[in-house]
Amino acid sequence: MLNYYLTIVLAPLAAAVIAGLFGRQIGRAGSHWLTILAVGTSCALSVLVLRAMFWDGAVSENISLYTWAATDGLHMEVGFLVDRLTALMMVVVTFVSLMVHVYTIGYMHDDPGYQRFFSYISLFTFAMLMLVMSNNFLQLFFGWEAVGLVSYLLIGFWFKRESAILANLKAFLVNRVGDFGFILGIAGVVMFTGSLDYATVFSSADNVAVQTIEVLPGSAWNAMTVICILLFIGAMGKSAQAPLHVWLPDSMEGPTPISALIHAATMVTAGIFMVARMSPLFELSETALAVVVTIGAITAFFMGLLGIVQNDIKRVVAYSTLSQLGYMTVALGASAYSAAIFHLMTHAFFKALLFLAAGSVIIAMHHEQDIRKMGGLRKYMPITYWTALVGSLALIGFPGSSGFFSKDLLIEAVRESHWQGQGAVYWIAYLSVLLGVFVTALYSFRMFFLVFHGNERMDADTKSHLHETPWVVTGPLILLAIPSALIGWFTAGPVLFEGYFDDAIVVAPAHDVLAHIGSHVWHGSLALVQHIYVSPAFWLAASGTFVAWFLYLRRPDIPATIEAKMSGLHQLLVNKYYFDDLYIKGFAFCGRSFGRFLWLKGDELIIDGILVNGTANTVGKLAGVMRQLQTGYLYTYAFAMIIGLTALLSWLIWFR
């Protein structure tokens, strides 16, 4: 299988290098066919690996390829850990990436950076595969930083737009904050275990859990708690958890295909995957789990509210991603790691579908993204309409859809988790994910109804050119709609309740909420669908959808009235809780002001003014004075010699 693993990782890398360096020579068609073939090969081989793991009973493999460096017993290696968690992530990453590659042919058809874009997205796939297949923290960090670098390049792909440059700079800086915590967490792992290898670190976890570290003098903290919280800070940056979420909505400045790839299968899923992979560590710290579940709950509910007031079609879907990542994080904090990964998988399909459907609409609307200028697109774009409907239903958890199985079972896991009866943490988590269902349905179908139903609000020129997008756009939509609708039926039981992740995820017996649900709630896919009437999540989703229909189709005058009467709340949401103001006008302004002060007072005044120019000016002035003594007249020099001799004789007589 080693040859499979190497091919899966290296094929996208080779294609990225060739398309990037030799794009002009191989042409536009050569670039897209090369990268599609490479990612398609990775996808096919990943499916074979998953089949071997899931159906054929293949065992996990921990392979060290070579040692990069070794000092005092610390081995820095490159290697692969391929277990069922890895196999599932490999299929998700490569399949969604393949769909994005095909879709890009249509979306980026006229872009002058065509070959460069294909090189970047293929490189993105390589970076994410290196991350999920790593068997040590060094390689994990390499993949972690590589996806951050490529996302920076892709968000700012249209680098002549000032907004795109600001967006990729924001993504880069916010992730530096998270990554600083992440690398400190890795340093803590090395400090207490002396190793970067997962297997060695996990086997030493019990020993680390009983040790302490002084974060502040005289204040002893549990070492495992410190390590896990620091690692989670890294996850907060990559997976856009509040308050490090501000970069993700602005990532919409990149082309739509990369929005789909970032939000569905690569960068934002890295943090969720990492915490699930580190379950042997997180299970030993109740404090760290409390931090995880609280941050996730805040993100799930409050970021969802922001989607209600967005008018850019891509930003609505972006805030949906923030909210759904919060759901996954809550599941991690409830020790339902399998539920988080299961929702990650289903979310990858329907979120990629929604982004690509939004891109299809944008193409048809001549790159208009304001949903207030759309409407009635159903009759012009039937394939986009039906696939977007499938994605929206999966997002809100419509019974039978993939999102229904993953989200409803996730909510049930939070309700039955070990946090039950432990006060504020439990109620914050449970009420957030439950009320978030109503919010999700409201903003999802607000967008859907405004885009595809109601009056046609576009201008006459745009309307005259409306038509369905070509097959390279609609084909990936159909292929993504199929798993968005059906995959939950076949995977919910095995992934969540039949021990699929037993070799990859560790859960303490007291925290094993999925085992409890499996014995009391889960009676098969059909039985769960048949008992939807007892689920509060179903009725909240139905209510949110009805409210969206009533407000935006039946009584479109009401939203304006609500906005006027609740202007304070509306402004709070429109301004995104003023996080951007805090960071840009607060931290960034203070940083720039301090830098300007150092420049003016330290550099210009002291260094340039006093030390450099001051020294030169002093020498110049002294030389100017001395120059006056050089008159060129003999009597002047004779007079100076007499004065000097007189002074010397006086000194000798005086001090004799």
Side-chain angles (χ1 to χ4, degrees):
M1 296 291 282
L2 179 58
N3 290 335
Y4 277 22
Y5 306 150
L6 289 172
T7 304
I8 289 169
V9 170
L10 296 179
L13 175 62
V17 171
I18 295 172
L21 297 180
F22 307 103
R24 290 187 178 182
Q25 287 77 8
I26 64 177
R28 296 164 71 91
S31 295
H32 71 236
W33 282 116
L34 175 64
T35 52
I36 288 172
L37 178 62
V39 175
T41 300
S42 295
C43 182
L45 294 178
S46 297
V47 171
L48 292 178
V49 172
L50 181 63
R51 179 181 179 275
M53 291 282 177
F54 189 73
W55 285 282
D56 299 339
V59 297
S60 302
E61 294 188 75
N62 191 349
I63 304 169
S64 292
L65 294 178
Y66 68 92
T67 300
W68 180 61
T71 57
D72 298 330
L74 181 63
H75 292 271
M76 302 180 186
E77 299 179 335
V78 175
F80 298 139
L81 172 59
V82 181
D83 53 20
R84 291 181 173 184
L85 175 59
T86 305
L88 182 65
M89 290 296 297
M90 287 160 58
V91 171
V92 170
V93 170
T94 54
F95 178 75
V96 173
S97 178
L98 178 60
M99 295 300 101
V100 169
H101 274 71
V102 175
Y103 178 93
T104 299
I105 297 174
Y107 192 89
M108 302 291 288
H109 182 266
D110 298 321
D111 197 284
Y114 191 82
Q115 293 98 314
R116 178 166 57 95
F117 189 82
F118 274 98
S119 174
Y120 286 172
I121 58 177
S122 189
L123 186 62
F124 211 170
T125 306
F126 158 75
M128 190 64 187
L129 287 170
M130 284 292 285
L131 189 155
V132 301
M133 295 176 68
S134 62
N135 70 345
N136 62 84
F137 284 91
L138 175 68
Q139 188 173 326
L140 173 69
F141 189 72
F142 167 78
W144 194 268
E145 293 302 309
V147 294
L149 169 64
V150 184
S151 69
Y152 170 82
L153 296 173
L154 284 163
I155 293 170
F157 182 79
W158 287 322
F159 53 83
K160 293 184 179 180
R161 295 183 182 179
E162 185 176 348
S163 59
I165 297 303
L166 177 61
N168 73 350
L169 181 62
K170 181 188 287 188
F172 187 82
L173 293 176
V174 171
N175 274 276
R176 296 288 66 72
V177 176
D179 292 353
F180 181 67
F182 187 59
I183 199 168
L184 287 178
I186 295 176
V189 167
V190 175
M191 175 181 175
F192 285 98
T193 67
S195 177
L196 289 166
D197 180 69
Y198 289 164
T200 304
V201 171
F202 295 161
S203 64
S204 306
D206 290 333
N207 180 52
V208 178
V210 298
Q211 299 190 52
T212 59
I213 182 174
E214 286 194 6
V215 179
L216 299 174
S219 176
W221 286 42
N222 179 268
M224 187 60 75
T225 295
V226 173
I227 289 171
C228 289
I229 290 177
L230 289 171
L231 292 175
F232 180 65
I233 290 173
M236 289 170 61
K238 279 290 180 290
S239 293
Q241 296 298 288
L244 301 182
H245 65 282
V246 293
W247 68 270
L248 191 60
D250 286 354
S251 69
M252 299 301 97
E253 293 297 332
T256 297
I258 196 53
S259 300
L261 198 55
I262 288 176
H263 286 244
T266 53
M267 187 164 170
V268 299
T269 62
I272 306 300
F273 165 81
M274 184 273 291
V275 176
R277 175 62 81 194
M278 299 300 134
S279 60
L281 306 183
F282 279 85
E283 282 300 284
L284 297 174
S285 175
E286 287 287 316
T287 303
L289 289 176
V291 171
V292 173
V293 77
T294 303
I295 294 294
I298 292 171
T299 306
F301 181 70
F302 288 100
M303 296 303 111
L305 289 176
L306 298 182
I308 299 174
V309 299
Q310 300 300 312
N311 295 312
D312 184 307
I313 187 171
K314 288 172 62 178
R315 286 185 178 269
V316 176
V317 186
Y319 280 104
S320 166
T321 299
L322 281 173
S323 180
Q324 297 307 303
L325 289 168
Y327 274 86
M328 299 174 210
T329 304
V330 170
L332 295 171
S335 295
Y337 303 98
S338 298
I341 295 298
F342 184 52
H343 193 51
L344 182 156
M345 177 191 69
T346 62
H347 174 265
F349 296 124
F350 61 72
K351 185 51 58 70
L353 172 59
L354 287 171
F355 265 114
L356 299 188
S360 179
V361 170
I362 292 169
I363 293 171
M365 291 290 297
H366 292 183
H367 294 276
E368 175 59 66
Q369 297 183 198
D370 192 334
I371 59 178
R372 296 170 296 183
K373 298 179 181 179
M374 300 179 187
L377 295 183
R378 175 183 178 181
K379 65 181 180 181
Y380 301 103
M381 309 179 69
I383 298 176
T384 301
Y385 170 81
W386 288 107
T387 53
L389 178 60
V390 170
S392 298
L393 291 174
L395 175 59
I396 71 169
F398 183 79
S401 67
S402 62
F404 166 75
F405 291 104
S406 62
K407 184 186 283 188
D408 274 40
L409 289 170
L410 185 156
I411 293 171
E412 187 66 21
V414 174
R415 188 176 75 86
E416 298 287 342
S417 71
H418 67 280
W419 294 111
Q420 190 174 25
Q422 296 196 36
V425 172
Y426 173 75
W427 288 110
I428 290 172
Y430 182 58
L431 290 178
S432 293
V433 295
L434 195 60
L435 296 177
V437 174
F438 175 85
V439 175
T440 300
L442 178 57
Y443 67 66
S444 297
F445 275 88
R446 169 183 176 265
M447 178 184 71
F448 184 80
F449 291 141
L450 287 177
V451 171
F452 294 104
H453 290 272
N455 298 325
E456 299 173 357
R457 299 179 297 278
M458 69 286 295
D459 58 63
D461 181 62
T462 301
K463 183 177 178 180
S464 66
H465 292 92
L466 279 175
H467 59 81
E468 187 60 271
T469 45
W471 71 267
V472 290
V473 175
T474 56
L477 295 182
I478 295 170
L479 292 175
L480 286 166
I482 294 171
S484 297
L486 302 176
I487 200 169
W489 290 90
F490 310 106
T491 56
V495 171
L496 296 178
F497 307 115
E498 296 176 15
Y500 175 79
F501 289 130
D502 282 352
D503 65 336
I505 290 175
V506 175
V507 182
H511 295 174
D512 198 354
V513 63
L514 292 178
H516 173 73
I517 294 175
S519 62
H520 292 82
V521 177
W522 176 258
H523 303 292
S525 300
L526 183 60
L528 187 64
V529 174
Q530 289 174 338
H531 288 83
I532 56 172
Y533 60 87
V534 300
S535 170
F538 166 74
W539 294 108
L540 285 168
S543 300
T545 305
F546 173 78
V547 170
W549 169 81
F550 183 77
L551 291 180
Y552 297 100
L553 289 184
R554 297 294 295 176
R555 292 292 305 276
D557 57 303
I558 293 180
T561 303
I562 296 174
E563 178 182 330
K565 291 188 175 181
M566 304 181 70
S567 58
L569 177 60
H570 182 262
Q571 284 301 311
L572 180 66
L573 297 178
V574 167
N575 288 287
K576 299 167 284 189
Y577 307 119
Y578 296 97
F579 274 107
D580 281 342
D581 289 339
L582 173 63
Y583 294 155
I584 296 174
K585 298 179 181 179
F587 297 148
F589 177 78
C590 290
R592 290 195 304 270
S593 298
F594 182 62
R596 183 177 178 83
F597 171 80
L598 292 178
W599 164 50
L600 292 175
K601 304 301 182 183
D603 188 26
E604 287 198 344
L605 178 62
I606 297 176
I607 296 176
D608 288 344
I610 296 176
L611 297 181
V612 179
N613 297 331
T615 302
N617 291 335
T618 301
V619 171
K621 290 179 180 179
L622 182 61
V625 173
M626 298 300 295
R627 189 183 301 117
Q628 301 302 318
L629 301 177
Q630 304 298 320
T631 62
Y633 295 111
L634 182 62
Y635 62 81
T636 302
Y637 300 148
F639 181 74
M641 291 172 64
I642 292 171
I643 294 298
L645 181 61
T646 302
L648 177 62
L649 290 173
S650 300
W651 180 81
L652 290 173
I653 294 170
W654 185 267
F655 292 101
R656 182 167 60 93

